[in-house]
Amino acid sequence: RCFPIIGLKNAECSDMSEWVWKGRIVFGGDQVRTGEGDWAVFEEVGSVPTTMTASRVLLACKMLNPDWIICQSDCISAYVQAKLPEGDYTYCSLPQKWWPKRWQNADGTWTYKNPVVRLIKALYGHPRAGDLWADKLGGVLRADNFTGVTGWPSMYIKHIPGESPQVFDVYVDDLIILGTLEGLGGTLSRIRKEIDMEDPHELGKYLGCYHRIVEGRCPRTGAVVTEVEWDMSAYNRDSSDRYEREKFREGKSFYKAATPFAPKQDSKTFDELLAQPPRMDKRQVASHLMKLLYGSRTAYPPIAVAISRLASEITKWNGECDRRIERLMAFVAEHGHLVLSGCLSSLDRDTAELHVWPDADLAGDELSARSTSGYFLEVSGGDGRTCPVSWGSKKQPATSTSTPQAEAQSLAEIMGCNQVVQGE
């Protein structure tokens, strides 16, 4: 079946001028059967969207090359720009309100009882829609001499000898584009003959994160210094407000929290909390955790360790987990306004280095004997200038018996990641 959905985009923003009502027609992809009535089986999803790490890499390139431009664009009604393949037909039913008038008889009755129509376009919700759209956009880019970047899903680069590189970073229908004004002009003109997309504009809000880019010239050296801020404060505020509305129904509010980690309890209280059933429904908890997890991975690293530890407890939630998520939300409510920032100069172009900071605790989480690895990766320039690229935190696969072993494991994990980054 097909049905409409409607939602409010940018609802987390306090500025109502940014609110936009959006609607789309959706295909019910969870109820697809074959002509014989069996459940339809589709291929595994082949397309993988890009990550915020990739966008920060492109921003670092822009910061080191101020004569380049970085912009963004949305592909208009992206999925329906791709057609379903011939010979493998999909039929769907429509709400009666959408039936064409020619199906209605003179006496007001309908010619058909329960009609179905053939689906021509890769409508949102169809199990193959994402791959078909990615194939169409990727095919258009490859036809213009772009190639995919190994290890970086949905990133395409064109580098003709003697010319500046051009890069398209694709997150479904959201594009980040990097290159020179001269080079991108012809490229965009050709691509827009095949892909319906908005006019490229200055990088601003992308995947829920506000980007602020400021360039200035150093009076002493004449170099161009670029500063960037990644701001998730509106998203963080919406996360904590939503939890507060669900959790504190008696008019209470969050307490002050200097860190996202709940203080340790004495062993008796700790055991009692472990035995307590959860106060919140698991589906609610999962929703809150996923919202925070996205914010952390996008541009808010202070909660990376706390949220990864809690996410591993979702199937065995208890009173101690309730206490920890409340502390985490209290921290976000008080410190969610903090922004991630970076600064590089055109002088750093030929001397910039990748610096990575791995670390680990030794069984620092009372709920697990396994240690937690963490890392922070940045592009480092001169005079203390840096640009953040990536960070992360996860439980180690096995129990470490000493601090050196835990930290060696963390180092091994990040060196494997770092080789991919350096290789590209």
Side-chain angles (χ1 to χ4, degrees), residues 391-424:
W391 56 86
S393 168
K394 68 175 183 178
K395 286 284 181 63
Q396 295 186 356
T399 302
S400 296
T401 58
S402 65
T403 297
Q405 183 181 358
E407 297 195 345
Q409 173 65 29
S410 177
L411 177 62
E413 291 171 357
I414 188 55
M415 288 305 292
C417 171
N418 198 22
Q419 288 171 5
V420 173
V421 175
Q422 288 178 336
E424 303 303 340

